[in-house]
Amino acid sequence: MSANIPVLTLDGPSGVGKGTVCLLVAKKLGWHILDSGSLYRLLALSAGDNTDLDNVSQLADLARDMQIEYVTSGDALGIYLRGENVSEVIRTEATGVLASKIAAIPEVRQALLDKQRAFAKVPGLVADGRDMGTTVFPDAGLKIFLTASAQERAKRRYKQLKEKGIDANLSQLTAELIERDERDSTRLASPLLAADDAIIIDTTNLDIGQVCSKVMQLVEQRF
Ligand code: C5P
């Protein structure tokens, strides 16, 4: 990790809008993107439905050896696994749930550390996830932690799914989100946590444009 490369970390719970903010801010700045959650989702997809969560060394090897590629085009991020475009497939709730179970394994997190740090390249990086500011880029120049109530995050996710024509149930989404938050926050390895030096933005009553403006103001002050 080079100290000369500017890194902005955006951490926060599921459904808070980190991914969208990350894409928009990175586009404005012309910086690279690390969607770290997608790495855990890709691993869940690679491991499959019958994953043995106790076979830690196999999962860590899989994490190290995954053949993945990210291609940014316009406002979208194309994610490829062994040459196949899996950008949509990895977004299902089932993959998210398995990803969060796999993400609790310290050996897996360790195996993904170098892969994540390799994303820091000139002219800069916007990294989104749960532990970007605490573990992966502890020396980042600017750390932001986004929050919003679980109800608001579930509503946003519900709207997103409906727009894609996917049937969803709001109360089930809220329950799943709270359960995932609980697992991500209470695990021992790199739990979901704001870094001591992170700036916290509560987005419950903000739209995406307002969040991006706040982030851009902070970037301009800091870098
Ligand atoms: O952000 P996203 O919902 O795509 O992440 C999927 C899961 O991957 C999260 O619920 C979390 O358990 C895990 N994750 C993580 N650390 C990160 C990013 C994601 O543990 N930096």
Side-chain angles (χ1 to χ4, degrees):
M1 211 185 341
S2 164
N4 299 324
I5 299 170
V7 175
L8 159 63
T9 61
L10 284 172
D11 286 306
S14 305
V16 77
K18 303 180 299 282
T20 313
V21 175
C22 179
L23 269 170
L24 293 171
V25 169
K27 193 178 173 200
K28 276 201 167 92
L29 294 167
W31 289 6
H32 299 279
I33 289 172
L34 166 59
D35 167 7
S36 62
S38 70
L39 290 173
Y40 294 95
R41 287 173 180 271
L42 285 164
L43 185 54
L45 196 67
S46 302
D49 290 341
N50 301 319
T51 306
D52 176 4
L53 292 169
D54 292 326
N55 198 339
V56 169
S57 61
Q58 193 184 38
L59 284 169
D61 286 345
L62 196 58
R64 243 176 255 108
D65 298 340
M66 278 190 303
Q67 280 179 39
I68 54 181
E69 203 189 340
Y70 290 82
V71 181
T72 318
S73 71
D75 287 342
L77 181 66
I79 304 178
Y80 293 79
L81 179 66
R82 290 185 299 270
E84 187 191 341
N85 189 336
V86 292
S87 318
E88 290 291 327
V89 184
I90 59 165
R91 298 296 164 199
T92 64
E93 273 314 295
T95 305
V97 169
L98 181 56
S100 105
K101 290 181 181 164
I102 291 177
I105 304 171
E107 288 83 352
V108 166
R109 304 197 73 84
Q110 184 63 35
L112 289 176
L113 215 46
D114 287 344
K115 262 197 170 61
Q116 294 177 86
R117 289 184 176 151
F119 278 77
K121 291 189 190 130
V122 283
L125 177 71
V126 187
D128 94 65
R130 306 291 187 291
D131 61 342
M132 297 295 98
T134 51
T135 307
V136 182
F137 299 107
D139 300 325
L142 176 59
K143 301 177 186 178
I144 294 177
F145 192 87
L146 300 176
T147 64
S149 69
Q151 284 70 19
E152 174 61 26
R153 287 183 284 126
K155 262 197 261 164
R156 290 176 189 171
R157 178 92 183 113
Y158 179 80
K159 194 165 158 252
Q160 246 177 17
L161 290 172
K162 283 280 171 194
E163 277 166 9
K164 285 185 184 166
I166 301 171
D167 208 22
N169 175 308
L170 184 58
S171 54
Q172 192 188 337
L173 275 178
T174 313
E176 281 172 356
L177 215 130
I178 291 172
E179 198 183 314
R180 187 132 69 95
D181 284 355
E182 171 76 10
R183 191 163 39 238
D184 289 350
S185 308
T186 54
R187 70 178 176 223
L188 293 174
S190 293
L192 166 66
L193 194 69
D196 287 342
D197 49 351
I199 295 167
I200 297 176
I201 303 179
D202 185 344
T203 72
T204 306
N205 298 310
L206 301 177
D207 65 27
I208 207 78
Q210 291 170 314
V211 180
C212 284
S213 301
K214 275 186 185 274
V215 171
M216 283 306 293
Q217 263 174 17
L218 291 167
V219 168
E220 277 152 26
Q221 285 163 13
R222 192 64 65 92
F223 293 107

